[in-house]
Amino acid sequence: MSTLLVPSAFHGPPGSGNGGWCAGAIAAVCGSGTALGRTVEVTLRLPPPLEVPLPVQEEDGTVTALDPEGRTVLSARVVEAGLEPSDPVEVEVARAAEADFVGHRAHAFPGCFSCGPDRAEGDGLRIFPGPVPGRPGTVAATWTPHSSTYEIAWAALDCAGAWATGLEDTPRVLGRITGRLDRLPELGATYVVTGEALGSEGRKHHARTTLRDASGELLGVTRQVWIDVAG
């Protein structure tokens, strides 16, 4: 890949790419098209523009996507860091939690590819993580893929982390995501996405997310840093 282009369908905040999808797209470069089984750390430094070819370069093990002005938009590198998943959530519990997804009432980015309620079935992922009873700081939702790519699986692992940290209180965007995807989800199958808050430092909020199948087998796990958007 000599350039990275984010199609407008995969937007998060208006006018910019969904952080998880973009992270998956550049993480894939670290594996020459797929990085299944590898842990990749992606840092988002600028909002990824839509429908703009971003030159991609690699130096000393770091892959970087640049905007037309030569500024770094995203960077990725394979790391050895271990990622500890959250405990599983049963499908029935995750499905029930969706009814209490706060984004149904107030959502800063309702058109988000991953969690936007304005997206139609099959057009967006429509992952609506709500609070899990008895597990403070943990949210969960079900997901049935209509398409399955490495980038889409990273998008599925994206926004639950923000909702776990209290996205409804202050809009925030993904600053860094370190993830590992072991296998791609199957079309039409039921999966559970969880997000767990791991603490905050000022404008930075830490979380982790998991993607599991209906039996609880782990497909993917991330650790995330979310940054409050200045008002």
Side-chain angles (χ1 to χ4, degrees):
M1 178 188 288
S2 58
T3 61
L4 187 156
L5 185 142
V6 184
S8 58
F10 302 119
H11 71 81
S16 64
N18 170 267
W21 192 95
C22 297
I26 196 167
V29 180
C30 295
S32 300
T34 179
L36 287 173
R38 298 186 180 187
T39 300
V40 184
E41 178 190 88
V42 179
T43 303
L44 296 90
R45 301 191 181 278
L46 293 172
L50 302 173
E51 304 292 350
V52 176
L54 306 177
V56 173
Q57 62 185 26
E58 182 174 2
E59 183 176 357
D60 296 330
T62 298
V63 177
T64 304
L66 307 174
D67 71 4
E69 299 178 15
R71 299 175 299 177
T72 297
V73 178
L74 304 123
S75 62
R77 63 190 182 103
V78 175
V79 295
E80 298 298 326
L83 296 174
E84 187 70 23
S86 301
D87 291 335
V89 174
E90 295 182 356
V91 170
E92 294 77 9
V93 174
R95 185 171 288 122
E98 295 168 13
D100 293 323
F101 173 56
V102 297
H104 288 314
R105 302 187 297 275
H107 198 306
F109 311 125
C112 174
F113 175 67
S114 176
C115 68
D118 286 358
R119 302 297 289 261
E121 191 74 29
D123 172 55
L125 303 188
R126 293 180 59 84
I127 297 173
F128 303 142
V132 176
R135 290 176 58 173
T138 298
V139 297
T142 60
W143 174 48
T144 300
H146 295 278
S147 59
S148 180
T149 66
Y150 185 77
E151 295 88 346
I152 285 176
W154 272 66
L157 282 159
D158 181 14
C159 298
W163 291 107
T165 66
L167 178 61
E168 68 274 16
D169 298 326
T170 305
R172 56 194 55 140
V173 294
L174 189 63
R176 175 169 290 166
I177 180 170
T178 303
R180 188 190 74 246
L181 186 67
D182 294 328
R183 63 182 174 92
L184 295 180
E186 298 178 7
L187 299 182
T190 299
Y191 295 91
V192 173
V193 178
T194 65
E196 182 181 6
L198 298 177
S200 300
E201 303 166 359
R203 293 177 56 229
K204 292 184 178 181
H205 308 274
H206 302 270
R208 61 181 169 189
T209 64
T210 64
L211 175 63
R212 296 180 184 270
D213 65 18
S215 70
E217 182 179 347
L218 185 70
L219 278 73
V221 57
T222 78
R223 185 173 62 239
Q224 308 173 341
V225 179
W226 291 85
I227 310 295
D228 286 347
V229 177

